[in-house]
Amino acid sequence: MKNSMISILVAVTLITTAVSCVNNEKPSAAAPQTFVLVHGAWQAPYVWDSVQADLVKNGNKVIVVKLPGHGSDTTAPHRLSLDVYGNEVINAIVQADSNVILVGHSMGGMVITDVAEKIPNKIKKLVYIGAFLPATGQALTDLAFSDPGSQLGPLLVPSADQLTLDVKRDSLTYLFINDGSQATKDLVLANYRAEPAIPFTNKVTLTNDAFGSVDKIYIKTLKDIVISPALQDRMIAAAGIKTIYTVNTSHSPFLAAPHTVSDLLIRVAQ
């Protein structure tokens, strides 16, 4: 009888220990993802630096696309179009070793929309961050002109040949990063260049079988005065997007609150 009691106690102890070990295990980390990040107008790849670092630190792969005519690229403005931008993104995606989470900001939303129509089978999710999200037949200008809450229009200065658009320099950081640090504002000013105008007028053609088949997420920028929250809501509703997050920032949350953006992208990937 004594031996039986000892055996029972040993068995209970082993079971209790095993259960304790299981309960104390940390949740398994999400599988690494490949993110492709597309910047917006009047910006360049540098805006993603902090977000990229966070995503890589979390074990993910990151491809940051430099759109032609931006940053150090010297493609002439008259050679640029939404198709040219899209082809640059497609070239980046086809080099990835897995399907990607494609992220676009502002004008980059037009680009990722066009890309999703062309290669939907390569994209796990589309993520719009304070971005233009067109319906079929719409150009960026169609959406921008329908946005009375935007303060950008009166501050634009077209070039004499109408091929580029400048933003009045004294309004640049007010529009794009009014909640950023002075160092961040200085970075935006130092990297500024005029924006090619032709892609703004290029319309997209979308189908349910292609673009419509890709899972979409929208991250709203609540203090945005470039693409107003009201326009963001209209675009979200028109696209039927159900997964929506918010950041309480200006138009450039990856500069104003990069870790918040990183955390949201990691959450989106899970």
Side-chain angles (χ1 to χ4, degrees):
M1 181 69 178
K2 183 177 180 180
N3 288 340
S4 297
M5 289 298 295
I6 292 173
S7 298
I8 291 171
L9 289 172
V10 170
V12 169
T13 299
L14 289 173
I15 292 171
T16 302
T17 301
V19 170
S20 177
C21 289
V22 169
N23 288 340
N24 286 333
E25 285 181 356
K26 293 182 179 180
S28 58
Q33 303 289 335
T34 298
F35 291 87
V36 176
L37 309 180
V38 182
H39 63 80
W42 297 286
Q43 297 189 337
Y46 77 92
V47 300
W48 295 113
D49 285 352
S50 294
V51 170
Q52 179 181 16
D54 285 348
L55 294 176
V56 170
K57 185 178 180 180
N58 197 254
N60 301 288
K61 297 179 180 179
V62 179
I63 300 170
V64 180
V65 177
K66 177 166 66 180
L67 297 178
H70 295 77
S72 59
D73 183 84
T74 57
T75 304
H78 72 276
R79 297 184 179 276
L80 296 175
S81 67
L82 193 60
D83 279 340
V84 171
Y85 290 167
N87 289 338
E88 192 74 15
V89 177
I90 289 170
N91 289 339
I93 290 174
V94 298
Q95 295 177 35
D97 54 12
S98 65
N99 288 359
V100 306
I101 296 172
L102 180 56
V103 183
H105 168 250
S106 196
M107 179 270 292
M110 299 294 300
V111 181
I112 68 172
T113 298
D114 185 56
V115 169
E117 175 65 24
K118 293 173 178 174
I119 55 167
N121 60 321
K122 295 289 187 180
I123 302 168
K124 289 183 179 178
K125 296 180 181 181
L126 282 176
V127 183
Y128 295 83
I129 303 179
F132 288 105
L133 170 49
T136 191
Q138 286 185 321
L140 184 152
T141 48
D142 296 320
L143 293 166
F145 292 156
S146 74
D147 186 9
S150 173
Q151 298 182 32
L152 175 61
L155 300 173
L156 292 177
V157 182
S159 60
D161 59 10
Q162 303 293 306
L163 289 176
T164 62
L165 287 167
D166 267 306
V167 177
K168 292 181 180 178
R169 189 172 180 84
D170 61 357
S171 300
L172 184 66
T173 58
Y174 163 72
L175 285 169
F176 290 99
I177 185 66
N178 57 21
D179 51 353
S181 67
Q182 188 57 50
T184 300
K185 293 176 180 178
D186 291 344
L187 185 66
V188 170
L189 290 168
N191 285 277
Y192 171 80
R193 60 181 288 190
E195 180 68 18
I198 292 173
F200 284 7
T201 63
N202 296 149
K203 298 180 184 295
V204 296
T205 300
L206 307 174
T207 62
N208 289 332
D209 289 342
F211 172 72
S213 69
V214 182
D215 188 21
K216 303 170 188 68
I217 295 94
Y218 202 104
I219 300 175
K220 288 179 56 181
T221 40
L222 299 181
K223 294 181 178 178
D224 203 325
I225 56 174
V226 175
I227 303 177
S228 73
L231 175 59
Q232 293 178 54
D233 284 338
R234 295 205 314 270
M235 294 186 294
I236 289 166
I241 295 179
K242 304 301 182 186
T243 305
I244 304 159
Y245 299 99
T246 61
V247 286
N248 195 32
T249 71
S250 64
H251 189 57
S252 303
F254 34 76
L255 295 174
H259 303 308
T260 299
V261 173
S262 305
D263 289 345
L264 284 175
L265 291 178
I266 291 167
R267 183 174 176 183
V268 162
Q270 294 174 342

